[in-house]
């Protein structure tokens, strides 16, 4: 199903970027992460995409060092017609980048995180066209949250009465179209659906059928997202039924 943290806008971004690099809608929703408002791709899917390409001759990964201070993750990538790309990321690199003191995977799975950094750098250098600029999710989650500092307040050098007063029209964000509003509502319904009966009742309503037809005509990518959400829900309910019968 769709990640709980995804907004409707995140779903659209994930699907559009995922399909641009050859993923299906379902693969996009499961393997594209939106972190700090920017998309990234999970390291295992990044590796799978590159290895599946006919341009890839091989990808080799290894970990050197017995002590933590000696750990070095190495990723060697060979693209047809090009020299090897070798990327290394050591424990000392992680220390220098202030990654090791944070709670989370760097404490629980330090070798795995070193591997992901070396892999991400090597694959991006060797296959920038295949990855379309995406960085690994494991790298993106380590970047600090970006904050926008307000501009400094300038002191007035003249009395207010002597200055020209310019009233600016406040910026107004364009309202979403009625079609997108209805799409957002339907995505929310399908994301939190709890029973097959409700799913069938929902999708059989005339207004939902008309909405899907309108999306197919005007926003085919959004229509594909709806179709995939419905198929995922049906598959999930079928799996639950099989498990119940087995018990």
């Amino acid at each position: 199903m769709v990640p709980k943290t995804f907004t409707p806008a995140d779903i659209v971004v994930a699907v559009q970027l995922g399909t641009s690099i050859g993923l299906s809608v379902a693969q996009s929703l499961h393997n594209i992460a939106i972190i700090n408002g920017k998309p990234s791709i999970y390291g295992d899917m990044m590796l799978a995409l590159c290895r599946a390409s006919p341009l890839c001759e091989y990808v080799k990964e290894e970990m050197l060092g017995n002590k933590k201070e000696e750990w070095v993750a190495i990723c060697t990538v060979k693209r047809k017609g090009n020299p090897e790309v070798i990327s290394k990321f050591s424990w000392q690199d992680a220390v220098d980048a202030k990654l090791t003191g944070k709670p989370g995977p760097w404490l629980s799975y330090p070798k795995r995180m070193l591997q992901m950094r070396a892999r991400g750098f090597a694959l991006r250098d060797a296959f920038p066209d295949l990855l379309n600029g995406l960085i690994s999710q494991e790298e993106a989650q380590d970047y600090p949250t970006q904050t926008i500092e307000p501009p400094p307040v300038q002191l007035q050098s003249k009395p207010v009465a002597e200055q020209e007063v310019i009233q600016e029209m406040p910026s107004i964000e364009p309202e979403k179209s009625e079609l997108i509003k209805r799409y957002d509502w339907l995505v929310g319904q399908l994301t939190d659906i709890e029973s097959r009966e409700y799913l069938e009742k929902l999708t059989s309503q005339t207004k939902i059928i008309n909405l899907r037809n309108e999306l197919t005509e005007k926003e085919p990518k959004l229509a594909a997202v709806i179709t995939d959400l419905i198929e995922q829900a049906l598959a999930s309910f079928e799996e639950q039924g099989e498990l119940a019968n087995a018990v």
Side-chain angles (χ1 to χ4, degrees), residues 10-26:
D10 291 339
I11 294 173
V12 174
V13 171
V15 170
Q16 288 180 338
L17 274 172
T19 53
S20 74
I21 59 175
L23 300 181
S24 67
V25 173

Side-chain angles (χ1 to χ4, degrees), residues 35-187:
I35 300 176
N36 292 335
K38 295 183 178 181
S40 56
I41 184 171
Y42 283 93
D44 289 336
M45 177 53 72
M46 175 185 279
L47 178 61
L49 273 176
C50 294
R51 277 183 168 163
S53 171
L55 297 174
C56 180
E57 291 190 13
Y58 56 79
V59 178
K60 299 178 182 178
E61 295 179 308
E62 57 183 325
M63 177 70 69
L64 303 181
N66 296 320
K67 299 179 181 179
K68 179 181 289 187
E69 294 76 14
E70 301 172 348
W71 287 349
V72 180
I74 303 174
C75 183
T76 304
V77 180
K78 181 68 170 67
R79 177 174 178 145
K80 288 184 178 179
N82 291 272
E84 285 185 337
V85 173
I86 301 176
S87 178
K88 300 179 181 180
F89 201 83
S90 67
W91 180 255
Q92 188 58 50
D93 290 330
V95 172
D96 293 341
K98 297 181 174 58
L99 300 173
T100 57
K102 300 189 299 183
W106 278 103
L107 288 180
S108 303
Y109 314 103
K111 284 188 175 182
R112 177 71 170 171
M113 296 305 290
L114 292 176
Q115 176 190 16
M116 288 298 175
R117 279 302 180 97
R119 175 190 295 177
F121 292 152
L123 293 179
R124 282 160 53 196
D125 288 344
F127 301 104
D129 49 339
L130 295 182
L131 297 174
N132 203 16
L134 288 172
I135 67 172
S136 71
Q137 179 270 349
E138 292 79 7
E139 179 183 350
Q141 69 181 358
D142 288 328
Y143 290 158
T145 303
Q146 295 181 353
T147 56
I148 301 176
E149 296 292 337
V153 178
Q154 296 182 351
L155 298 178
Q156 297 177 350
S157 58
K158 297 181 180 180
V160 175
E162 298 180 13
Q163 296 184 17
E164 294 183 0
V165 179
I166 302 176
Q167 295 183 348
E168 296 183 357
M169 181 178 294
S171 59
I172 301 175
E173 184 177 350
E175 292 187 2
K176 293 182 179 179
S177 69
E178 188 62 33
L179 177 61
I180 299 302
K181 288 181 180 179
R182 288 185 287 147
Y183 162 79
D184 288 349
W185 174 85
L186 183 54
V187 167

